[in-house]
């Protein structure tokens, strides 16, 4: 559970840092601002996906099902 929180916090810091950098470059009038903004939008989608895939692969490596603990809000069904 602690690993999930660390990865989530890392993702939030990365995404916020990208948007802050884009804002600073936009205010200073840098010519690459639009490219950085488009990169920020792309990485806003990619960073959570990469973190999610990492957690799924970690579950598989630990011998669990791909869906175990990745979706903690789902009810677990018993296979009886």
């Amino acid at each position: 559970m602690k690993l999930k929180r660390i990865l989530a916090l890392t993702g939030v810091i990365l995404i916020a840092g990208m948007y802050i950098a884009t804002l600073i470059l936009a205010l200073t009038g840098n010519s690459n601002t639009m490219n950085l903004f488009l990169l920020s939008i792309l990485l806003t989608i990619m960073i959570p996906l990469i973190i999610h895939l990492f957690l799924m692969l970690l579950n598989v490596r630990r011998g669990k099902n791909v869906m175990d603990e990745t979706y903690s809000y789902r009810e677990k069904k018993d296979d009886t």
Side-chain angles (χ1 to χ4, degrees), residues 24-39:
I24 290 171
L25 288 176
L27 293 174
T28 60
N30 193 326
S31 61
N32 292 326
T33 302
M34 191 60 181
N35 292 336
L36 186 59
F37 179 67
L38 293 175
L39 180 66

Side-chain angles (χ1 to χ4, degrees), residues 19-77:
Y19 280 110
I20 290 170
T22 303
L23 179 65
I24 290 171
L25 288 176
L27 293 174
T28 60
N30 193 326
S31 61
N32 292 326
T33 302
M34 191 60 181
N35 292 336
L36 186 59
F37 179 67
L38 293 175
L39 180 66
S40 295
I41 291 174
L42 176 70
L43 289 178
T44 299
I45 297 168
M46 294 302 296
I47 288 174
L49 284 176
I50 291 170
I51 291 171
H52 183 73
L53 289 174
F54 175 75
L55 289 173
M56 287 175 63
L57 290 173
L58 191 62
N59 279 341
V60 169
R61 188 172 181 143
R62 290 179 179 168
K64 299 179 182 177
N65 190 355
V66 173
M67 298 299 189
D68 285 351
E69 293 184 20
T70 303
Y71 302 103
S72 60
Y73 58 88
R74 289 188 179 177
E75 295 178 19
K76 294 189 179 187
K77 296 180 181 178

Side-chain angles (χ1 to χ4, degrees), residues 9-22:
L9 184 61
T10 303
V12 168
I13 290 170
L14 284 173
I15 291 170
M18 287 184 308
Y19 280 110
I20 290 170
T22 303

